[in-house]
Amino acid sequence: YSHLKALLAQKSTSPSEIAAQLSLPHPRLGGTVLHVAAWKAPIELAVMMIQLMPRDSREMSVLQSIRDGEGNTPLHLCCGNLDCCRMDTAGEGKEEQREVDYLGVLKEIVRSAPSKAWTVQNSEGDTPLHMLVSSPLCTADWRAGSASSASSKDGAKAKLASEAIHLALSTLDGIEACSARERTGATPLHIALASGAHDCVIESLLAAQPSAARIEDGRGMLPLHWAAAFGRASYPVVKKILEEHPLGLTSPTVDGDIPLHLAVSNAMMEDESGGGRSESDMSSSSVSKVDKNRLKLVELLMHDHNSRKGSSTRDAKSDSTSPILTTNREKLTPLHCCALFDAPPQISKLLMKHP
């Protein structure tokens, strides 16, 4: 890398000349050298290339504002591809064996990023924050079950993810990006819930912009609907979202579905390895189980919070707004959906036990 730096120095004697080298376009993708370095280059090399130019120089600001063929800035690509496993300094494709700052490139880009960098939207409407919360670094391996090795790895990733999200939300435009909507109307909070982001990522988004819990996507789906449909967010996180917007419990989508409809319709059995059951497994013995987290989510979403605990009677008004009795556009209650979408029997029993 020192040799590459020396070669660039021979050709470049000013920020504008260095910028000319780093802004050379990709022949097919339209991005610059900096775009490629931001997500593909070994961390040490990418950091060195960014540090070639003064952080506050006009040239660096312009360079970071250039978009590739899909409207992405270098910050978009860096955020979307963050992981805790990049090429080592030898460039041989091995995992890094020594201590490395996996957020090094992100830190360097953020330090020299132009104003409003976090609110820039690409051709799909995604901001860098949308891409950050769905990156490999910020998402848990929700398919891995409870294996100790997976848990240990996720713990290390969660710590880095927390640092990354706080880096994004430490700026005013980062906080503003929390309410930005991509092409389908989804905010970063919607995307984080769908992607299985770490709890710390979702909690940070909520803390920075609580009103995001009340933003609907293009189909009238709140973050609570997404959490119910995908079932990847933990019970404590979904509870916080519900506390932030209690009315979301019975808020209908354009199809009339409330979160409980989506939670039971997307429930499935899974085998001991954490994967979903295939059709041939349905007749096999009891190696399958219900996702315990989803079972807890269904229990959270089915309760009629208008009724008082211990009350023996409920008036008609409270019945009409009870989640378990709410019908969608096709006049189906959540229990209908259990039968229609072959929900695990534990969930059907749970709904039928509701007083």
Side-chain angles (χ1 to χ4, degrees):
Y1 300 155
S2 297
H3 180 61
L4 287 173
K5 186 175 182 179
L7 287 176
L8 281 171
Q10 290 176 7
K11 294 183 177 181
S12 313
T13 57
S14 69
S16 60
E17 292 177 354
I18 296 173
Q21 296 294 321
L22 296 182
S23 62
L24 291 173
H26 190 284
R28 290 183 294 103
L29 304 179
T32 66
V33 173
L34 185 58
H35 280 86
V36 177
W39 70 284
K40 278 189 175 182
I43 294 172
E44 187 178 334
L45 176 58
V47 169
M48 180 272 288
M49 294 177 72
I50 296 171
Q51 290 177 343
L52 285 172
M53 297 179 62
R55 290 177 184 170
D56 57 352
S57 65
R58 176 181 175 277
E59 289 81 3
M60 175 55 83
S61 180
V62 171
L63 190 61
Q64 290 218 41
S65 299
I66 297 175
R67 307 194 189 195
D68 66 10
E70 296 179 346
N72 294 305
T73 64
L75 182 58
H76 278 92
L77 297 181
C78 176
C79 288
N81 293 279
L82 275 180
D83 202 349
C84 54
C85 179
R86 284 184 70 165
M87 303 284 279
D88 67 5
T89 53
E92 296 176 356
K94 301 176 183 178
E95 288 191 10
E96 183 62 69
Q97 298 297 316
R98 63 182 180 81
E99 192 70 24
V100 60
D101 183 2
Y102 292 107
L103 301 181
V105 181
L106 178 62
K107 290 175 181 176
E108 286 299 326
I109 290 179
V110 168
R111 284 172 186 150
S112 55
S115 175
K116 299 292 184 179
W118 287 103
T119 57
V120 174
Q121 294 177 286
N122 63 17
S123 57
E124 295 294 324
D126 292 314
T127 66
L129 189 58
H130 282 89
M131 301 184 74
L132 174 61
V133 301
S134 59
S135 67
L137 179 67
C138 288
T139 52
D141 188 3
W142 53 273
R143 296 184 183 87
S146 57
S148 59
S149 59
S151 299
S152 175
K153 183 178 179 181
D154 266 356
K157 286 176 63 178
K159 186 175 180 180
L160 284 170
S162 178
E163 186 179 349
I165 196 70
H166 280 95
L167 191 63
L169 299 178
S170 63
T171 62
L172 291 177
D173 56 310
I175 295 175
E176 184 181 341
C178 289
S179 57
R181 302 170 63 183
E182 43 90 277
R183 192 170 60 176
T184 67
T187 66
L189 181 56
H190 286 94
I191 300 301
L193 292 165
S195 303
H198 297 288
D199 285 2
C200 60
V201 172
I202 300 172
E203 289 168 351
S204 295
L205 292 173
L206 271 175
Q209 193 75 280
S211 61
R214 298 188 288 276
I215 298 178
E216 298 178 351
D217 69 4
R219 295 194 58 79
M221 294 177 67
L222 295 162
L224 188 61
H225 288 94
W226 282 53
F230 287 95
R232 295 173 187 168
S234 71
Y235 173 85
V237 162
V238 178
K239 187 176 181 182
K240 285 185 179 181
I241 295 174
L242 181 57
E243 289 171 350
E244 197 60 52
H245 185 41
L247 294 179
L249 194 67
T250 53
S251 178
T253 66
V254 294
D255 295 317
D257 292 314
I258 62 171
L260 186 58
H261 282 103
L262 300 177
V264 301
S265 298
N266 290 280
M268 61 183 294
M269 301 292 284
E270 57 179 27
D271 59 32
E272 291 180 341
S273 65
R277 289 179 73 185
S278 65
E279 194 169 318
S280 60
D281 293 331
M282 296 298 285
S283 59
S284 64
S285 63
S286 55
V287 293
S288 300
K289 59 179 181 175
V290 181
D291 177 357
K292 292 181 180 179
N293 185 63
R294 186 176 288 274
L295 204 57
K296 292 177 71 176
L297 294 184
V298 168
E299 191 169 11
L300 174 68
L301 298 173
M302 66 186 277
H303 286 309
D304 180 4
H305 296 279
N306 291 324
S307 64
R308 295 179 180 274
K309 187 176 181 181
S311 174
S312 58
T313 59
R314 293 196 300 258
D315 59 25
K317 182 178 180 181
S318 95
D319 273 349
S320 66
T321 58
S322 174
I324 200 169
L325 299 175
T326 302
T327 58
N328 61 16
R329 194 172 63 182
E330 297 177 340
K331 305 302 180 185
L332 300 175
T333 66
L335 191 56
H336 284 105
C337 292
C338 280
L340 186 62
F341 295 100
D342 198 22
Q346 292 92 327
I347 290 181
S348 298
K349 290 177 181 178
L350 185 63
L351 294 183
M352 287 189 288
K353 285 180 181 179
H354 190 277

